[in-house]
């Protein structure tokens, strides 16, 4: 490992092989840094935090400090960050709380750009990109391959499905279906994330079937549950469609809908 003389590594910290800790970094006593982790300079990793192998933390990131929750009373909550992540300048990530499962978790291969904030008790999947100054409030769940553009944000308890795309400066207050594109303030669905799906190698016919199901689910006739059931019956073997169906059926919160539709609640009759 390589530790700059000006860095502070508190007793008890667990440091893996090949770790690099640059000038003026601070690593707390309950921190675990996996093999090949790099803290470039002026970064702080504290609390009961584990950082996966080959993750890079840029200057002035604050990782693992106490949550921004007035109910937090010093409980031994945790923060885990996966492998091969990039945490850019001025990112802040908070651990969990007793009111939310006691943990915040970030998956593998995530890119958190400048000024991103991830609040307490959030669960993030793999291959997520959060662009500059994106804010994620507490208790949110963000599934694999989600992209959130600059200055966007989510309210507490929001669930964003896999492969969704959130446009710049979008305010997300309701759950977002997998593979959806969401824009605006207030946020509204604008269709399927076709560009993202093509870039990730999804079959063209599968995307076409997903678009057809999307139009069925978010039509104006009947209830949301009826439309979801119709789409499920039409495409029983299409994985993308069934992902959306399962997400809608399991939703316990309002969904982000196209701007021309009335507000529905999941499961309404």
């Amino acid at each position: 490992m390589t530790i700059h003389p000006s860095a502070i590594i508190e007793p008890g910290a667990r440091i893996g092989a090949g770790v690099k800790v640059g000038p003026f970094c601070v690593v707390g006593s309950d921190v675990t840094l996996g093999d090949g982790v790099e803290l470039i300079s002026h970064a702080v990793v504290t609390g009961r935090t584990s950082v996966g192998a080959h993750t890079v933390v840029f200057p002035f990131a604050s990782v693992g400090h106490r949550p921004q929750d007035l109910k937090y009373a010093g409980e031994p909550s945790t923060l885990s960050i996966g492998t091969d992540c990039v945490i850019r300048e001025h990112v802040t990530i908070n651990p969990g709380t007793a009111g939310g499962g006691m943990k915040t978790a970030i998956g593998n291969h995530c890119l958190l750009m400048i000024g991103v904030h991830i609040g307490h008790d959030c669960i993030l999947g793999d291959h997520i990109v959060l662009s500059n100054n994106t804010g994620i409030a507490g208790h949110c769940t963000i599934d694999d391959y989600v992209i959130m553009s600059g200055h966007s944000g989510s309210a507490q308890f929001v669930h964003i499905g896999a492969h969704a795309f959130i446009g710049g400066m979008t305010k997300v207050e309701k759950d977002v279906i997998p593979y959806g594109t969401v824009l605006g303030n207030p946020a509204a669905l604008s269709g399927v994330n076709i560009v993202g799906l093509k870039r990730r190698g999804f079959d063209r016919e599968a995307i076409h079937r997903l678009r057809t199901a999307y139009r069925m689910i978010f039509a104006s006739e009947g209830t949301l549950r009826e439309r979801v059931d119709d789409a499920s019956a039409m495409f029983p073997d299409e994985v993308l469609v069934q992902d959306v169906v399962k997400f809608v059926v399991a939703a316990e919160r309002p969904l982000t809908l196209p701007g021309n539709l009335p507000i529905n609640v999941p499961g309404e009759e």
Side-chain angles (χ1 to χ4, degrees):
M1 70 184 74
T2 303
I3 309 295
H4 192 275
S6 66
I8 298 174
I9 311 295
E10 295 182 358
R14 292 163 293 281
I15 310 297
V19 168
K20 297 179 181 179
V21 180
F24 303 105
C25 292
V26 178
V27 178
S29 60
D30 291 317
V31 168
T32 298
L33 301 181
D35 295 347
V37 166
E38 181 177 4
L39 312 184
I40 292 179
S41 74
H42 297 86
V44 178
V45 183
T46 189
R48 295 169 179 83
T49 298
S50 63
V51 181
H54 307 294
T55 286
V56 180
V57 183
F58 278 71
F60 305 106
S62 173
V63 178
H65 279 108
R66 62 182 294 137
Q68 298 179 112
D69 185 339
L70 294 176
K71 301 184 296 298
Y72 181 74
E75 55 265 29
S77 57
T78 64
L79 164 63
S80 65
I81 298 170
T83 64
D84 300 287
C85 292
V86 176
I87 300 172
R88 293 300 307 247
E89 296 86 348
H90 300 284
V91 167
T92 56
I93 312 173
N94 294 162
T97 66
M102 291 288 286
K103 69 177 182 179
T104 299
I106 298 171
N108 305 317
H109 301 279
C110 293
L111 170 58
L112 312 180
M113 296 187 190
I114 294 170
V116 164
H117 172 71
I118 298 175
H120 58 86
D121 303 292
C122 289
I123 306 297
L124 276 64
D126 300 332
H127 299 281
I128 289 168
V129 176
L130 302 182
S131 300
N132 294 349
N133 298 303
T134 295
I136 309 297
H139 307 279
C140 290
T141 299
I142 302 179
D143 294 336
D144 297 347
Y145 289 99
V146 166
I147 295 177
M148 298 185 68
S149 301
H151 298 272
S152 61
S154 67
Q156 289 183 325
F157 296 100
V158 163
H159 184 185
I160 301 177
H163 297 274
F165 177 85
I166 311 300
M169 303 183 70
T170 295
K171 178 184 179 183
V172 182
E173 295 181 304
K174 303 177 177 68
D175 291 356
V176 177
I177 61 168
Y179 315 111
T181 294
V182 172
L183 305 170
N185 182 4
L189 270 175
S190 64
V192 173
N193 182 16
I194 296 173
V195 173
L197 294 176
K198 287 181 177 178
R199 286 176 177 173
R200 294 176 198 126
F202 282 86
D203 178 73
R204 180 176 180 178
E205 291 303 316
I207 296 172
H208 177 74
R209 291 188 288 270
L210 176 62
R211 293 182 68 188
T212 301
Y214 175 91
R215 289 193 293 268
M216 292 177 63
I217 292 170
F218 296 106
S220 58
E221 299 83 8
T223 66
L224 177 61
R225 184 54 185 265
E226 289 171 343
R227 300 190 299 265
V228 167
D229 289 344
D230 290 343
S232 180
M234 178 172 286
F235 300 104
D237 301 319
E238 178 50 63
V239 173
L240 303 188
V241 174
Q242 292 302 319
D243 284 346
V244 176
V245 167
K246 292 173 184 176
F247 188 95
V248 174
V249 170
E252 298 179 351
R253 303 179 67 261
L255 296 171
T256 302
L257 300 174
N260 61 345
L261 282 181
I263 299 299
N264 289 324
V265 296
E268 71 171 342
E269 300 298 336

